[in-house]
Amino acid sequence: MDTLITYGIGGVICFFFLMIYLKNLKKRETKAREAAEKGKLFSEGPKAQHPHIDTNYCIGCATCTSVCPEGDVLAMIGGKAVIVNGHKCIGHGLCADACPVGAITMVLASPSMAADVPYLTPEYETTVPNLFIVGELGGLALIKNAVNQGRDCVDTIAARLKAPGAPPAAAGVFDLLVIGAGPAGISASLRAIEQKVNYITIERDEIGGTVAKYPRQKLVMTSPVEFPMYGKFKKMQLSKENLLAFWDMILNRSDFNVSTGEKVEDVKRGDDGIFTVITGTNQYRARAVILALGKAGEPRQLGVKGEELPKVMYRLIEADHYINKKILIVGGGDSAVEAAMGLANQSGNQVTLSYRSERFSRIKERNSKRIEEYAKSGKVKVLFNSNPVEFKPESVIIDVAGSQQELPNDFVWIFAGGTPPNAFLKKIGVGFGARDVTLETSKEAKKADTERRQLSCAAAAPSH
């Protein structure tokens, strides 16, 4: 009798926990289906490398959904992993590495989607000999990848310069010219110093590239990386300020040869293999050139009346410089949302965020939750289905679902993306086409995951 009672109690307990599990599973599936519906708003799908899931092997462990840093790219539906927001995927590849049964592989998007990517060899060399491209311009957006590519690219160049039969150095000719002082350009420059390569770096704006223009406290890195002249950088998360301060520390203690405020207008390769790089003020000659330009290029304008007014801007650097202002942010991506929240945190600001679609669907999960809280609290007024019609000196006219409104206004920021420098690349002879970046992405993902585990083990180990 006692045995039956014991079994009965055990059965009730097991049933109780089973019901809780099934209830939570149903909730997760409901959220996943909602995310999938939201993902359908972007029928073009992933833009580059992304996970492919073989459902014949997937065991439904959900490990892949928990390791992705970009939120709900993957979700569990019907006990299987599925892609619900492919447009958010930027190719970390951690899901493939984490899958215990090998059901996920990283694949390239269809050739039509990758047709605007410069053709590169595994050494990052373009169709022009000794002209290289590193960083997001080559198809990958991660800062970690940009740093690694800049470092490895200089190793390739240094090996060629030192190879038997290589042309000797010539007076007035640099071994290497780096165009761009963002993550990839800085990494390449530091590696050139380590390799004793005679180089110069040219930057049209300020050191830091796109990172320097990010909103304050934006999280820019989520995995360890090895910086030249420093070694392994072990922080798991890094903000814009942390990264810029780190770079500043390294650059101040090294012979960093950089010229800022110079925009490159042309790159020509002579019959002797020497490049002539022409800027608005100078000409340089070099044996090899690395393009670390970034992908955004020039900010994309809307063509709205009054857009030429001084109060209309395209980049926000320091949000705390603006207080007690009436502000309009135009855009629906992470940059727009982060700028709106950053400005809303400053004293006295009234921030309106205008987005042409009916809801946000291209932003990171953490930003989606935060902007929802800001909207509910009234810190940011969000206008969906809206477009600016005219910018005036003291106001803006916005069309909201077919009805025009005029709002008092001091400043406007437009985050509509940028125009890639494809025309410039084609002008200097760079060929374009589909490129399979799966292998390099998978290698980087595996290295990052191994490093994460090693750091976690080191942190958990007792100190002696």
Side-chain angles (χ1 to χ4, degrees):
M1 186 66 180
D2 291 341
T3 302
L4 290 175
I5 294 174
T6 301
Y7 283 144
I9 294 173
V12 171
I13 293 173
C14 289
F15 180 76
F16 174 75
F17 283 109
L18 177 62
M19 293 305 296
I20 292 176
Y21 169 78
L22 292 174
K23 185 178 180 180
N24 289 335
L25 181 62
K26 186 176 181 180
K27 284 183 179 179
R28 286 199 300 268
E29 285 213 9
T30 300
K31 288 183 179 180
R33 293 184 189 281
E34 290 174 354
E37 287 301 313
K38 186 167 64 174
K40 289 177 183 178
L41 293 174
F42 290 83
S43 57
E44 69 269 25
K47 289 296 188 183
Q49 67 284 358
H50 64 283
H52 170 74
I53 303 158
D54 188 336
T55 55
N56 292 323
Y57 292 97
C58 177
I59 59 175
C61 65
T63 304
C64 57
T65 65
S66 62
V67 298
C68 179
E70 302 305 319
D72 55 350
V73 173
L74 300 171
M76 302 301 298
I77 296 181
K80 300 288 185 179
V82 295
I83 299 175
V84 294
N85 278 300
H87 61 279
K88 289 185 179 181
C89 180
I90 59 175
H92 292 281
L94 297 179
C95 54
D97 193 54
C99 180
V101 294
I104 301 178
T105 53
M106 297 300 294
V107 299
L108 193 65
S110 67
S112 62
M113 294 177 187
D116 60 346
V117 177
Y119 171 80
L120 300 179
T121 69
E123 293 76 33
Y124 315 115
E125 190 171 18
T126 68
T127 51
V128 180
N130 289 321
L131 177 64
F132 300 81
I133 288 179
V134 294
E136 66 175 350
L137 190 59
L140 297 178
L142 298 179
I143 290 178
K144 171 178 66 69
N145 282 326
V147 172
N148 290 338
Q149 289 178 5
R151 182 190 66 230
D152 296 344
C153 187
V154 172
D155 287 344
T156 297
I157 293 170
R160 292 184 182 182
L161 293 173
K162 298 171 185 175
V173 179
F174 290 99
D175 290 333
L176 169 65
L177 187 142
V178 180
I179 302 175
I186 291 176
S187 177
S189 302
L190 295 177
R191 192 60 147 195
I193 297 171
E194 286 186 331
Q195 292 277 18
K196 295 181 172 54
V197 170
N198 180 26
Y199 84 101
I200 186 171
T201 298
I202 299 173
E203 168 58 49
R204 70 174 183 178
D205 294 318
E206 58 188 313
I207 294 175
T210 305
V211 174
K213 300 176 178 64
Y214 284 156
R216 184 179 287 252
Q217 291 302 316
K218 177 180 174 67
L219 190 66
V220 294
M221 285 180 58
T222 57
S223 59
V225 67
E226 182 176 341
F227 284 94
M229 301 198 73
Y230 179 83
K232 188 76 69 177
F233 197 86
K234 297 181 180 180
K235 274 196 172 183
M236 294 297 287
Q237 293 191 338
L238 211 61
S239 70
K240 162 197 166 180
E241 287 75 16
N242 294 147
L243 186 57
L244 291 177
F246 171 67
W247 278 338
D248 188 59
M249 176 190 72
I250 294 179
L251 299 179
N252 282 337
R253 73 182 194 188
S254 61
D255 185 19
F256 186 56
N257 186 19
V258 63
S259 177
T260 58
E262 287 199 65
K263 182 179 179 180
V264 174
E265 296 177 351
D266 202 358
V267 177
K268 299 178 180 179
R269 186 175 186 270
D271 294 337
D272 57 357
I274 302 298
F275 290 93
T276 299
V277 179
I278 303 170
T279 72
T281 54
N282 289 298
Q283 287 193 16
Y284 302 89
R285 301 183 72 215
R287 299 163 73 183
V289 174
I290 294 178
L291 299 176
L293 301 174
K295 196 174 183 178
E298 296 294 330
R300 182 176 287 113
Q301 297 187 351
L302 300 179
V304 172
K305 184 178 180 181
E307 195 169 354
E308 73 284 352
L309 290 172
K311 73 172 188 176
V312 179
M313 295 171 281
Y314 302 87
R315 294 187 176 102
L316 175 65
I317 300 176
E318 300 295 349
D320 60 353
H321 288 184
Y322 304 90
I323 59 173
N324 300 314
K325 303 297 182 183
K326 297 176 178 64
I327 296 169
L328 174 68
I329 305 293
V330 181
D334 285 304
S335 296
V337 169
E338 289 167 357
M341 294 187 295
L343 288 163
N345 286 332
Q346 310 311 313
S347 176
N349 284 343
Q350 298 176 35
V351 180
T352 301
L353 176 57
S354 168
Y355 185 40
R356 63 185 179 182
S357 297
E358 62 181 356
R359 53 184 167 177
F360 298 116
S361 54
R362 299 175 58 188
I363 60 177
K364 294 181 174 67
E365 191 67 20
R366 59 178 178 267
N367 282 337
S368 179
K369 293 178 180 177
R370 289 180 63 208
I371 191 62
E372 186 175 344
E373 293 170 359
Y374 275 64
K376 286 181 179 178
S377 66
K379 294 180 72 173
V380 175
K381 182 180 180 182
V382 180
L383 299 177
F384 291 114
N385 295 314
S386 65
N387 288 286
V389 175
E390 183 179 356
F391 302 124
K392 297 182 176 182
E394 297 181 356
S395 66
V396 295
I397 298 177
I398 300 180
D399 183 291
V400 183
S403 176
Q404 291 192 1
Q405 302 178 12
E406 185 164 1
L407 307 176
N409 177 261
D410 297 306
F411 292 103
V412 176
W413 273 274
I414 298 172
F415 295 92
T419 305
N422 290 357
F424 170 75
L425 295 178
K426 291 175 181 178
K427 170 187 171 183
I428 65 177
V430 174
F432 280 66
R435 180 170 64 91
D436 188 352
V437 294
T438 299
L439 182 60
E440 61 188 85
T441 306
S442 298
K443 287 181 178 178
E444 292 295 338
K446 290 178 180 178
K447 284 172 59 179
D449 190 54
T450 300
E451 290 162 355
R452 287 171 186 269
R453 292 174 183 174
Q454 290 173 346
L455 287 174
S456 297
C457 291
S463 58
H464 298 285

